[in-house]
Coordinates of all heavy atoms in Angstrom, one line a residue:
M1 N 0.8 -1.2 0.0 CA 0.0 0.0 0.0 C 0.9 1.2 0.0 O 1.8 1.3 0.7 CB -0.9 0.0 1.3 CG -1.8 1.2 1.3 SD -3.0 0.9 2.6 CE -2.1 1.4 4.0
T2 N 0.5 2.2 -0.8 CA 1.3 3.4 -0.9 C 0.5 4.6 -0.3 O -0.7 4.7 -0.6 CB 1.5 3.7 -2.5 OG1 2.0 2.5 -3.0 CG2 2.6 4.8 -2.6
L3 N 1.1 5.3 0.4 CA 0.5 6.5 1.0 C 1.0 7.8 0.2 O 2.2 7.9 0.0 CB 0.8 6.7 2.4 CG 0.3 5.5 3.3 CD1 0.5 5.9 4.8 CD2 -1.1 5.2 3.1
T4 N 0.1 8.7 -0.1 CA 0.5 9.9 -0.7 C -0.1 11.1 0.1 O -1.0 11.0 0.8 CB -0.2 9.9 -2.2 OG1 -1.5 9.8 -2.0 CG2 0.4 8.7 -3.0
P5 N 0.6 12.2 -0.2 CA 0.1 13.4 0.5 C -1.4 13.7 0.2 O -1.9 13.4 -0.9 CB 1.0 14.6 0.0 CG 2.2 13.8 -0.4 CD 1.8 12.5 -0.9
I6 N -2.1 14.3 1.1 CA -3.5 14.6 0.9 C -3.5 15.7 -0.2 O -2.6 16.7 -0.2 CB -4.1 15.3 2.2 CG1 -4.1 14.4 3.3 CG2 -5.5 15.9 1.9 CD1 -4.6 15.0 4.7
S7 N -4.4 15.6 -1.1 CA -4.7 16.7 -2.0 C -6.1 17.0 -2.0 O -7.0 16.1 -2.0 CB -4.2 16.4 -3.4 OG -5.1 15.5 -4.0
V8 N -6.5 18.3 -1.9 CA -7.9 18.7 -1.7 C -8.2 19.8 -2.8 O -7.2 20.5 -3.3 CB -8.3 19.2 -0.4 CG1 -8.2 18.1 0.7 CG2 -7.4 20.4 0.0
V9 N -9.4 19.9 -3.1 CA -9.8 21.1 -3.9 C -10.7 22.0 -3.1 O -11.4 21.6 -2.1 CB -10.6 20.7 -5.2 CG1 -9.7 19.9 -6.1 CG2 -11.8 19.9 -4.9
C10 N -10.7 23.3 -3.5 CA -11.6 24.2 -2.8 C -13.1 23.8 -2.8 O -13.6 23.5 -3.9 CB -11.4 25.6 -3.5 SG -12.6 26.8 -2.9
P11 N -13.7 23.7 -1.7 CA -15.2 23.3 -1.7 C -16.1 24.4 -2.4 O -17.3 24.1 -2.7 CB -15.5 23.2 -0.2 CG -14.5 24.1 0.5 CD -13.3 24.0 -0.3
Q12 N -15.6 25.6 -2.6 CA -16.4 26.6 -3.1 C -16.2 26.7 -4.6 O -17.2 26.7 -5.4 CB -16.0 28.0 -2.5 CG -17.0 29.1 -2.7 CD -18.3 28.9 -2.0 OE1 -18.4 28.2 -1.1 NE2 -19.3 29.7 -2.5
C13 N -15.0 26.7 -5.2 CA -14.8 26.9 -6.6 C -14.1 25.7 -7.3 O -14.0 25.7 -8.5 CB -14.0 28.1 -6.8 SG -12.2 28.0 -6.4
G14 N -13.7 24.7 -6.5 CA -13.1 23.5 -7.1 C -11.6 23.7 -7.5 O -11.0 22.8 -8.1
S15 N -11.0 24.8 -7.2 CA -9.6 25.0 -7.6 C -8.7 24.0 -6.7 O -9.0 23.9 -5.5 CB -9.2 26.5 -7.3 OG -7.8 26.6 -7.4
G16 N -7.7 23.6 -7.3 CA -6.7 22.8 -6.5 C -5.6 23.6 -5.8 O -4.8 23.1 -5.2
D17 N -5.7 24.9 -6.0 CA -4.7 25.8 -5.5 C -5.0 26.2 -4.1 O -5.5 27.3 -3.9 CB -4.6 27.0 -6.5 CG -3.4 27.8 -6.2 OD1 -2.6 27.5 -5.3 OD2 -3.2 28.9 -6.8
V18 N -4.8 25.3 -3.2 CA -5.2 25.4 -1.8 C -4.0 25.3 -0.9 O -3.1 24.5 -1.1 CB -6.2 24.3 -1.5 CG1 -6.4 24.1 0.0 CG2 -7.5 24.5 -2.1
L19 N -3.9 26.3 0.0 CA -2.8 26.4 0.9 C -3.2 26.2 2.3 O -4.2 26.8 2.8 CB -2.2 27.7 0.7 CG -0.7 27.9 1.2 CD1 0.3 27.3 0.2 CD2 -0.4 29.4 1.3
Y20 N -2.5 25.4 3.1 CA -2.7 25.3 4.5 C -2.0 26.5 5.2 O -0.8 26.6 5.1 CB -2.1 23.9 5.0 CG -2.2 23.8 6.5 CD1 -3.3 24.2 7.3 CD2 -1.2 23.2 7.2 CE1 -3.4 24.1 8.6 CE2 -1.2 23.0 8.6 CZ -2.3 23.5 9.3 OH -2.3 23.3 10.6
S21 N -2.8 27.3 5.8 CA -2.3 28.6 6.2 C -1.9 28.8 7.7 O -1.5 29.8 8.1 CB -3.3 29.7 5.8 OG -4.5 29.5 6.6
C22 N -2.1 27.6 8.4 CA -1.8 27.8 9.9 C -0.9 26.6 10.3 O -0.2 26.0 9.4 CB -3.1 27.8 10.6 SG -3.0 28.6 12.2
K23 N -0.8 26.4 11.5 CA 0.0 25.4 12.1 C -0.8 24.4 12.9 O -1.8 24.8 13.5 CB 1.1 25.9 13.0 CG 2.0 26.9 12.4 CD 3.3 26.9 13.0 CE 4.4 27.7 12.3 NZ 4.3 27.7 10.9
P24 N -0.4 23.1 12.9 CA -1.3 22.1 13.6 C -1.5 22.5 15.1 O -2.5 22.1 15.7 CB -0.5 20.8 13.5 CG 0.3 21.0 12.2 CD 0.6 22.5 12.2
E25 N -0.6 23.2 15.7 CA -0.7 23.6 17.1 C -1.9 24.5 17.3 O -2.4 24.7 18.4 CB 0.5 24.3 17.7 CG 1.8 23.5 17.5 CD 2.5 23.8 16.2 OE1 3.2 24.8 16.1 OE2 2.3 23.0 15.3
C26 N -2.2 25.2 16.2 CA -3.3 26.2 16.2 C -4.6 25.7 15.7 O -5.5 25.4 16.3 CB -2.9 27.5 15.6 SG -4.1 28.8 15.5
C27 N -4.6 25.5 14.3 CA -5.9 25.1 13.7 C -5.6 24.6 12.3 O -4.4 24.5 11.9 CB -6.9 26.3 13.6 SG -6.5 27.5 12.4
Y28 N -6.6 24.1 11.6 CA -6.4 23.5 10.3 C -7.1 24.4 9.2 O -7.7 23.9 8.3 CB -7.0 22.1 10.3 CG -6.1 21.2 11.2 CD1 -6.3 21.0 12.5 CD2 -5.0 20.6 10.6 CE1 -5.4 20.3 13.3 CE2 -4.1 19.8 11.4 CZ -4.4 19.7 12.7 OH -3.5 19.0 13.5
N29 N -6.8 25.7 9.4 CA -7.4 26.6 8.4 C -6.7 26.5 7.0 O -5.5 26.7 7.0 CB -7.4 28.0 8.9 CG -8.2 29.0 8.1 OD1 -9.4 28.8 7.9 ND2 -7.5 30.0 7.5
H30 N -7.4 26.3 6.0 CA -6.8 26.4 4.7 C -7.5 27.5 3.9 O -8.6 28.0 4.2 CB -7.2 25.1 3.9 CG -6.5 23.9 4.4 ND1 -6.7 23.4 5.6 CD2 -5.6 23.1 3.8 CE1 -5.9 22.3 5.8 NE2 -5.2 22.1 4.7
V31 N -6.7 28.0 2.9 CA -7.3 29.1 2.1 C -7.1 28.8 0.6 O -6.1 28.2 0.2 CB -6.6 30.5 2.5 CG1 -5.1 30.5 2.2 CG2 -7.2 31.7 1.7
C32 N -8.1 29.1 -0.2 CA -8.1 28.9 -1.6 C -7.4 30.1 -2.2 O -7.8 31.3 -2.0 CB -9.5 28.8 -2.2 SG -9.5 28.8 -4.0
N33 N -6.4 29.9 -3.0 CA -5.6 31.0 -3.7 C -6.5 31.6 -4.9 O -6.0 32.6 -5.4 CB -4.3 30.5 -4.2 CG -3.2 30.7 -3.3 OD1 -3.3 31.6 -2.4 ND2 -2.2 29.9 -3.4
H34 N -7.6 31.0 -5.2 CA -8.3 31.4 -6.4 C -9.5 32.3 -5.9 O -9.7 33.4 -6.4 CB -8.8 30.2 -7.1 CG -9.5 30.5 -8.4 ND1 -8.8 31.0 -9.5 CD2 -10.8 30.4 -8.7 CE1 -9.8 31.2 -10.4 NE2 -10.9 30.9 -10.0
C35 N -10.3 31.9 -5.0 CA -11.4 32.6 -4.6 C -11.4 33.1 -3.1 O -12.3 33.7 -2.6 CB -12.8 31.9 -4.8 SG -13.0 30.5 -3.7
Y36 N -10.3 32.7 -2.4 CA -10.0 33.1 -1.1 C -11.1 32.6 -0.1 O -11.2 33.2 1.0 CB -9.9 34.7 -0.9 CG -8.9 35.2 -1.9 CD1 -9.2 35.9 -3.1 CD2 -7.5 34.9 -1.6 CE1 -8.2 36.3 -3.9 CE2 -6.5 35.3 -2.6 CZ -6.9 36.0 -3.7 OH -5.9 36.5 -4.5
T37 N -11.8 31.6 -0.4 CA -12.5 30.8 0.6 C -11.6 30.2 1.6 O -10.5 29.7 1.2 CB -13.4 29.8 -0.1 OG1 -14.4 30.5 -0.9 CG2 -14.1 28.8 0.8
T38 N -12.0 30.2 2.9 CA -11.3 29.5 3.8 C -12.1 28.3 4.4 O -13.3 28.4 4.4 CB -10.9 30.5 5.0 OG1 -12.0 30.9 5.7 CG2 -10.0 31.6 4.6
F39 N -11.4 27.3 4.8 CA -12.1 26.1 5.3 C -11.1 25.3 6.1 O -9.9 25.5 6.1 CB -12.7 25.3 4.2 CG -11.6 24.8 3.2 CD1 -11.0 23.6 3.4 CD2 -11.3 25.5 2.1 CE1 -10.1 23.1 2.5 CE2 -10.3 25.1 1.2 CZ -9.7 23.9 1.4
E40 N -11.7 24.4 6.9 CA -10.8 23.5 7.7 C -11.1 22.1 7.3 O -12.2 21.8 6.8 CB -11.1 23.6 9.2 CG -10.7 25.0 9.8 CD -10.7 25.1 11.3 OE1 -10.5 24.0 11.9 OE2 -10.8 26.2 11.8
L41 N -10.1 21.2 7.4 CA -10.2 19.8 7.1 C -10.4 19.1 8.4 O -9.8 19.4 9.4 CB -9.0 19.3 6.4 CG -8.7 19.9 5.0 CD1 -7.4 19.4 4.5 CD2 -9.8 19.6 4.1
E42 N -11.3 18.1 8.3 CA -11.5 17.2 9.5 C -11.6 15.8 9.0 O -11.8 15.5 7.8 CB -12.8 17.6 10.2 CG -14.0 17.4 9.3 CD -15.3 17.7 10.1 OE1 -15.3 18.0 11.2 OE2 -16.4 17.5 9.4
T43 N -11.4 14.8 9.9 CA -11.4 13.4 9.5 C -12.5 12.8 10.3 O -12.8 13.1 11.5 CB -10.1 12.7 9.6 OG1 -9.6 12.8 11.0 CG2 -9.1 13.3 8.6
I44 N -13.0 11.7 9.9 CA -13.9 10.7 10.6 C -13.3 9.4 10.6 O -12.9 8.9 9.5 CB -15.3 10.8 10.0 CG1 -15.9 12.1 10.1 CG2 -16.2 9.7 10.7 CD1 -17.2 12.3 9.2
R45 N -13.2 8.7 11.7 CA -12.7 7.4 11.8 C -13.7 6.4 11.3 O -14.8 6.3 11.8 CB -12.2 7.1 13.2 CG -11.5 5.8 13.2 CD -11.0 5.4 14.6 NE -10.7 4.0 14.5 CZ -10.9 3.1 15.4 NH1 -11.6 3.4 16.5 NH2 -10.6 1.8 15.3
V46 N -13.3 5.6 10.3 CA -14.3 4.6 9.8 C -13.7 3.2 10.0 O -14.4 2.2 9.6 CB -14.6 4.8 8.3 CG1 -15.4 6.1 8.2 CG2 -13.3 4.9 7.5
G47 N -12.6 3.0 10.5 CA -12.0 1.7 10.7 C -10.6 1.7 11.1 O -10.1 2.7 11.7
E48 N -10.0 0.6 10.8 CA -8.6 0.4 11.2 C -7.8 -0.2 10.0 O -8.4 -1.0 9.3 CB -8.6 -0.7 12.3 CG -7.3 -0.8 13.1 CD -7.2 0.4 14.0 OE1 -8.1 1.0 14.5 OE2 -6.0 0.7 14.3
V49 N -6.6 0.2 9.8 CA -5.8 -0.3 8.7 C -5.0 -1.4 9.2 O -4.3 -1.3 10.2 CB -4.9 0.8 8.1 CG1 -3.9 0.2 7.1 CG2 -5.7 1.9 7.5
T50 N -5.1 -2.6 8.6 CA -4.3 -3.7 9.1 C -3.1 -4.0 8.1 O -2.2 -4.7 8.6 CB -5.3 -5.0 9.1 OG1 -5.9 -5.1 7.8 CG2 -6.3 -4.9 10.2
E51 N -3.2 -3.5 6.9 CA -2.1 -3.7 6.0 C -0.9 -2.9 6.6 O -1.0 -1.9 7.2 CB -2.3 -3.1 4.6 CG -3.2 -3.9 3.8 CD -3.5 -3.2 2.4 OE1 -2.6 -3.2 1.7 OE2 -4.6 -2.7 2.3
S52 N 0.3 -3.4 6.2 CA 1.5 -2.6 6.6 C 1.8 -1.6 5.5 O 1.4 -1.7 4.3 CB 2.7 -3.5 6.8 OG 3.0 -4.1 5.5
F53 N 2.4 -0.5 5.9 CA 2.7 0.6 4.9 C 3.9 1.3 5.4 O 4.3 1.2 6.6 CB 1.5 1.6 4.8 CG 1.0 2.2 6.0 CD1 1.7 3.3 6.6 CD2 -0.1 1.7 6.7 CE1 1.2 3.8 7.8 CE2 -0.6 2.2 7.9 CZ 0.1 3.3 8.4
E54 N 4.6 1.9 4.5 CA 5.8 2.7 4.8 C 5.3 4.0 5.4 O 4.5 4.7 4.8 CB 6.7 2.9 3.6 CG 7.4 1.5 3.3 CD 8.5 1.8 2.3 OE1 9.0 2.9 2.3 OE2 9.0 0.8 1.7
I55 N 5.9 4.5 6.4 CA 5.5 5.8 6.9 C 6.2 6.9 6.1 O 7.4 6.9 5.9 CB 6.1 5.9 8.4 CG1 5.6 4.7 9.3 CG2 5.7 7.3 8.9 CD1 4.4 4.9 10.0
P56 N 5.4 7.7 5.4 CA 5.9 8.7 4.5 C 6.4 9.9 5.4 O 6.1 10.0 6.6 CB 4.7 9.1 3.7 CG 3.5 8.7 4.5 CD 3.9 7.6 5.5
P57 N 7.2 10.7 4.8 CA 7.7 11.9 5.5 C 6.5 12.8 5.8 O 5.5 12.8 5.2 CB 8.7 12.6 4.6 CG 8.4 12.0 3.2 CD 7.8 10.6 3.5
D58 N 6.7 13.7 6.8 CA 5.7 14.6 7.2 C 5.4 15.5 6.0 O 6.3 15.8 5.2 CB 6.0 15.4 8.4 CG 6.0 14.6 9.7 OD1 5.4 13.6 9.7 OD2 6.6 15.1 10.6
P59 N 4.1 15.9 5.8 CA 3.8 16.8 4.7 C 4.6 18.1 4.8 O 5.0 18.6 5.9 CB 2.3 17.1 4.9 CG 1.8 16.2 5.9 CD 3.0 15.7 6.7
D60 N 4.8 18.8 3.7 CA 5.4 20.1 3.6 C 4.5 21.1 4.3 O 3.3 20.9 4.3 CB 5.5 20.6 2.2 CG 6.4 19.7 1.3 OD1 7.3 19.0 2.0 OD2 6.3 19.8 0.1
S61 N 5.1 22.1 4.9 CA 4.2 23.2 5.4 C 3.6 23.9 4.3 O 4.3 24.1 3.2 CB 5.0 24.2 6.3 OG 5.9 24.9 5.5
G62 N 2.4 24.1 4.4 CA 1.6 24.7 3.2 C 0.8 23.7 2.5 O -0.1 24.0 1.7
A63 N 1.2 22.4 2.5 CA 0.4 21.3 1.9 C -0.8 21.1 2.7 O -0.7 21.2 3.9 CB 1.3 20.1 1.8
P64 N -1.9 20.6 2.1 CA -3.1 20.3 2.8 C -2.8 19.3 4.0 O -2.1 18.3 3.8 CB -4.0 19.7 1.8 CG -3.6 20.4 0.5 CD -2.1 20.5 0.6
T65 N -3.4 19.6 5.1 CA -3.1 18.8 6.4 C -4.4 18.7 7.1 O -5.2 19.6 7.2 CB -2.0 19.6 7.2 OG1 -0.9 19.9 6.4 CG2 -1.6 18.8 8.4
A66 N -4.6 17.5 7.6 CA -5.8 17.2 8.4 C -5.3 16.5 9.7 O -4.4 15.7 9.7 CB -6.8 16.4 7.6
P67 N -6.1 16.6 10.8 CA -5.8 15.9 12.0 C -6.5 14.6 12.0 O -7.6 14.4 11.5 CB -6.4 16.8 13.1 CG -7.6 17.5 12.4 CD -7.2 17.6 10.9
C68 N -5.9 13.6 12.7 CA -6.5 12.3 12.8 C -7.6 12.4 13.8 O -7.5 13.1 14.8 CB -5.4 11.4 13.4 SG -6.1 9.7 13.9
A69 N -8.8 11.8 13.4 CA -10.0 11.9 14.3 C -9.7 11.2 15.7 O -10.4 11.5 16.6 CB -11.1 11.2 13.6
R70 N -8.8 10.2 15.7 CA -8.6 9.5 16.9 C -7.4 10.1 17.8 O -7.6 10.4 18.9 CB -8.3 8.0 16.6 CG -8.1 7.2 17.9 CD -8.1 5.7 17.7 NE -7.1 5.3 16.8 CZ -7.0 4.0 16.4 NH1 -8.0 3.2 16.7 NH2 -6.1 3.6 15.5
C71 N -6.2 10.2 17.2 CA -5.1 10.6 18.0 C -4.7 12.1 17.8 O -3.8 12.6 18.4 CB -3.9 9.7 17.7 SG -3.1 10.0 16.1
H72 N -5.4 12.7 16.8 CA -5.2 14.1 16.6 C -3.8 14.5 16.0 O -3.5 15.7 15.9 CB -5.5 15.0 17.8 CG -6.8 14.7 18.4 ND1 -8.0 14.9 17.8 CD2 -7.1 14.0 19.6 CE1 -9.0 14.5 18.5 NE2 -8.5 14.0 19.6
E73 N -3.0 13.5 15.6 CA -1.7 13.8 14.9 C -2.0 14.4 13.5 O -2.9 13.8 12.8 CB -0.9 12.6 14.9 CG -0.3 12.1 16.2 CD 0.9 13.0 16.6 OE1 1.6 13.5 15.8 OE2 1.0 13.2 17.8
P74 N -1.3 15.3 13.1 CA -1.5 15.9 11.8 C -0.7 15.1 10.7 O 0.0 15.6 9.9 CB -1.0 17.3 11.8 CG 0.1 17.2 12.9 CD -0.3 16.2 13.8
R75 N -0.9 13.8 10.8 CA -0.1 12.9 9.9 C -1.1 12.0 9.1 O -0.9 10.8 9.1 CB 0.9 12.1 10.7 CG 1.9 13.0 11.4 CD 2.8 12.3 12.2 NE 3.6 11.4 11.4 CZ 4.3 10.3 11.9 NH1 4.2 10.0 13.1 NH2 5.0 9.6 11.1
V76 N -2.1 12.6 8.4 CA -3.0 11.9 7.7 C -2.6 11.9 6.2 O -2.3 13.0 5.7 CB -4.4 12.5 7.9 CG1 -5.5 11.8 7.0 CG2 -4.9 12.4 9.3
F77 N -2.6 10.7 5.6 CA -2.2 10.6 4.2 C -3.4 9.8 3.4 O -4.1 9.1 4.0 CB -0.9 9.7 4.1 CG 0.2 10.5 4.7 CD1 0.5 10.3 6.1 CD2 1.0 11.3 3.9 CE1 1.6 11.0 6.6 CE2 2.2 11.9 4.5 CZ 2.4 11.8 5.8
A78 N -3.3 10.0 2.2 CA -4.2 9.3 1.3 C -3.7 8.0 1.0 O -2.5 7.8 0.8 CB -4.5 10.2 0.0
M79 N -4.6 7.0 0.8 CA -4.2 5.7 0.4 C -4.2 5.8 -1.1 O -5.2 6.0 -1.8 CB -5.1 4.6 0.9 CG -5.0 4.4 2.4 SD -6.3 3.5 3.2 CE -6.2 1.9 2.4
G80 N -3.0 5.5 -1.7 CA -2.8 5.9 -3.1 C -3.5 4.9 -4.0 O -3.7 5.3 -5.2
D81 N -3.8 3.7 -3.6 CA -4.3 2.7 -4.6 C -5.7 2.2 -4.3 O -6.1 1.1 -4.6 CB -3.3 1.5 -4.6 CG -2.8 1.1 -3.3 OD1 -3.3 1.6 -2.2 OD2 -1.8 0.3 -3.1
V82 N -6.5 3.0 -3.6 CA -7.9 2.7 -3.4 C -8.8 3.7 -4.0 O -8.3 4.9 -4.2 CB -8.2 2.4 -1.9 CG1 -7.5 1.2 -1.4 CG2 -8.0 3.7 -1.1
G83 N -10.0 3.4 -4.0 CA -11.0 4.5 -4.4 C -11.3 4.6 -5.9 O -10.5 3.9 -6.6
P84 N -12.2 5.4 -6.3 CA -13.0 6.3 -5.5 C -14.1 5.5 -4.7 O -14.5 4.4 -5.2 CB -13.6 7.2 -6.5 CG -13.6 6.6 -7.8 CD -12.4 5.6 -7.8
P85 N -14.5 5.9 -3.6 CA -14.1 7.2 -2.9 C -12.7 7.0 -2.3 O -12.4 5.9 -1.9 CB -15.1 7.4 -1.8 CG -15.6 6.0 -1.5 CD -15.5 5.2 -2.8
P86 N -12.0 8.1 -2.2 CA -10.6 8.0 -1.6 C -10.7 7.7 -0.1 O -11.7 8.0 0.6 CB -10.0 9.4 -1.8 CG -11.2 10.3 -2.0 CD -12.3 9.4 -2.6
Q87 N -9.7 7.0 0.4 CA -9.7 6.8 1.9 C -8.3 7.3 2.3 O -7.4 7.4 1.6 CB -9.8 5.2 2.1 CG -11.2 4.8 1.9 CD -11.5 3.4 2.4 OE1 -10.8 2.5 2.2 NE2 -12.6 3.3 3.2
F88 N -8.3 7.5 3.7 CA -7.1 8.1 4.2 C -6.8 7.3 5.5 O -7.6 6.6 6.1 CB -7.5 9.6 4.6 CG -7.9 10.4 3.4 CD1 -9.2 10.3 3.0 CD2 -7.0 11.1 2.8 CE1 -9.6 11.1 1.9 CE2 -7.3 11.8 1.6 CZ -8.6 11.8 1.2
V89 N -5.5 7.4 5.8 CA -5.0 6.7 7.0 C -4.1 7.6 7.8 O -3.4 8.5 7.3 CB -4.2 5.4 6.5 CG1 -3.1 5.8 5.6 CG2 -3.8 4.6 7.7
C90 N -4.1 7.4 9.2 CA -3.3 8.1 10.0 C -2.0 7.3 10.2 O -2.0 6.1 10.6 CB -3.9 8.3 11.4 SG -2.8 8.9 12.7
A91 N -0.8 8.0 9.8 CA 0.4 7.3 9.9 C 0.9 7.1 11.3 O 1.8 6.3 11.6 CB 1.5 8.1 9.1
A92 N 0.3 7.7 12.3 CA 0.7 7.6 13.7 C 0.0 6.5 14.4 O 0.5 5.7 15.1 CB 0.4 8.9 14.4
C93 N -1.4 6.3 14.1 CA -2.1 5.2 14.8 C -2.8 4.3 13.9 O -3.5 3.4 14.4 CB -3.1 5.9 15.8 SG -4.5 6.6 15.1
K94 N -2.7 4.4 12.6 CA -3.3 3.5 11.6 C -4.8 3.5 11.6 O -5.4 2.5 11.2 CB -2.8 2.1 11.9 CG -1.3 1.9 11.6 CD -1.0 0.4 11.7 CE 0.2 0.0 10.8 NZ 0.2 -1.4 10.7
A95 N -5.4 4.6 12.1 CA -6.9 4.7 11.9 C -7.2 4.9 10.4 O -6.5 5.6 9.7 CB -7.4 5.9 12.7
L96 N -8.3 4.2 10.0 CA -8.8 4.4 8.6 C -9.8 5.5 8.7 O -10.7 5.6 9.5 CB -9.4 3.2 8.1 CG -10.0 3.1 6.7 CD1 -8.8 3.3 5.7 CD2 -10.8 1.9 6.4
L97 N -9.6 6.6 7.8 CA -10.3 7.8 7.9 C -11.0 8.2 6.6 O -10.5 7.8 5.5 CB -9.4 8.9 8.3 CG -8.5 8.7 9.6 CD1 -7.3 9.6 9.6 CD2 -9.4 8.9 10.9
T98 N -12.0 9.0 6.7 CA -12.5 9.8 5.6 C -12.2 11.3 5.9 O -12.1 11.6 7.0 CB -14.0 9.5 5.3 OG1 -14.7 10.0 6.4 CG2 -14.3 8.1 5.0
L99 N -12.2 12.0 4.8 CA -11.8 13.4 5.0 C -13.0 14.3 4.5 O -13.7 14.0 3.6 CB -10.6 13.7 4.0 CG -10.0 15.0 4.1 CD1 -9.2 15.2 5.4 CD2 -9.0 15.2 2.9
G100 N -13.2 15.4 5.4 CA -14.3 16.2 5.1 C -13.9 17.7 5.3 O -12.9 18.0 5.9
Y101 N -14.8 18.6 4.9 CA -14.6 20.0 5.1 C -15.5 20.5 6.2 O -16.5 20.0 6.5 CB -15.0 20.8 3.8 CG -14.3 20.4 2.6 CD1 -14.9 19.6 1.6 CD2 -13.0 20.9 2.3 CE1 -14.2 19.3 0.4 CE2 -12.4 20.6 1.2 CZ -12.9 19.7 0.2 OH -12.3 19.5 -1.0
T102 N -14.9 21.5 6.9 CA -15.8 22.1 7.9 C -15.4 23.6 8.0 O -14.4 24.0 7.4 CB -15.6 21.5 9.3 OG1 -16.4 22.0 10.3 CG2 -14.1 21.6 9.8
E103 N -16.2 24.4 8.6 CA -15.9 25.9 8.8 C -15.7 26.6 7.4 O -14.8 27.4 7.3 CB -14.7 26.1 9.7 CG -14.8 25.3 11.1 CD -15.7 26.0 12.0 OE1 -16.0 27.2 11.8 OE2 -16.2 25.4 13.0
I104 N -16.5 26.2 6.4 CA -16.3 26.8 5.1 C -16.8 28.3 5.2 O -17.9 28.5 5.5 CB -17.0 26.0 4.0 CG1 -16.5 24.6 4.0 CG2 -16.9 26.7 2.7 CD1 -17.4 23.7 3.2
A105 N -15.9 29.2 4.8 CA -16.3 30.6 4.8 C -15.9 31.1 3.4 O -14.7 31.4 3.1 CB -15.5 31.4 5.9
P106 N -16.9 31.3 2.5 CA -16.7 31.8 1.2 C -15.9 33.2 1.2 O -16.2 34.0 2.0 CB -18.1 32.0 0.5 CG -18.9 31.1 1.4 CD -18.4 31.1 2.7
G107 N -14.9 33.3 0.2 CA -14.1 34.5 0.2 C -14.8 35.6 -0.6 O -15.7 35.4 -1.3
Ligands
ZN201 ZN1 -11.8 28.6 -4.2
ZN202 ZN1 -4.1 8.7 14.5

């Protein structure tokens, strides 16, 4: 199983030009560079990953980042070889997750 960095599109305009504008110690506010909508990412735990996987490096600062619903570590990655719908996994605790938007504020 291959894990890849999360990629998201703006929930308002669909642009992929989305920047994570804060730090995990603070919040998960993202901003769209196209329409300036802001939103946060959240995860919901839907199961447990039993397959082994290589722990990828932490995401770049500025890359879309979401907290694990269970352990709250900002180390959520997409499972590269499943979906649609895409599924996500926490590299820290192996929770199987889905990704959603919250706090959407159109720009
Ligand atoms: Zn947008
Ligand atoms: Zn976790």
Side-chain angles (χ1 to χ4, degrees):
M1 183 170 80
T2 311
L3 300 188
T4 58
I6 298 173
S7 70
V8 295
V9 296
C10 171
Q12 192 71 14
C13 74
S15 169
D17 192 4
V18 165
L19 197 75
Y20 175 40
S21 63
C22 202
K23 299 210 173 325
E25 307 87 82
C26 178
C27 71
Y28 289 91
N29 188 60
H30 290 63
V31 62
C32 170
N33 268 332
H34 185 69
C35 71
Y36 305 108
T37 290
T38 62
F39 58 93
E40 295 191 25
L41 295 177
E42 63 176 2
T43 58
I44 297 167
R45 187 183 165 219
V46 293
E48 195 73 28
V49 174
T50 51
E51 281 178 75
S52 62
F53 54 81
E54 290 196 18
I55 307 266
D58 286 344
D60 297 339
S61 71
T65 305
C68 172
R70 179 165 64 185
C71 73
H72 309 295
E73 287 286 326
R75 298 179 64 203
V76 174
F77 293 87
M79 288 165 65
D81 42 12
V82 296
Q87 289 193 308
F88 299 86
V89 60
C90 170
C93 75
K94 292 188 151 192
L96 182 66
L97 305 162
T98 60
L99 187 67
Y101 300 103
T102 185
E103 306 287 340
I104 299 170

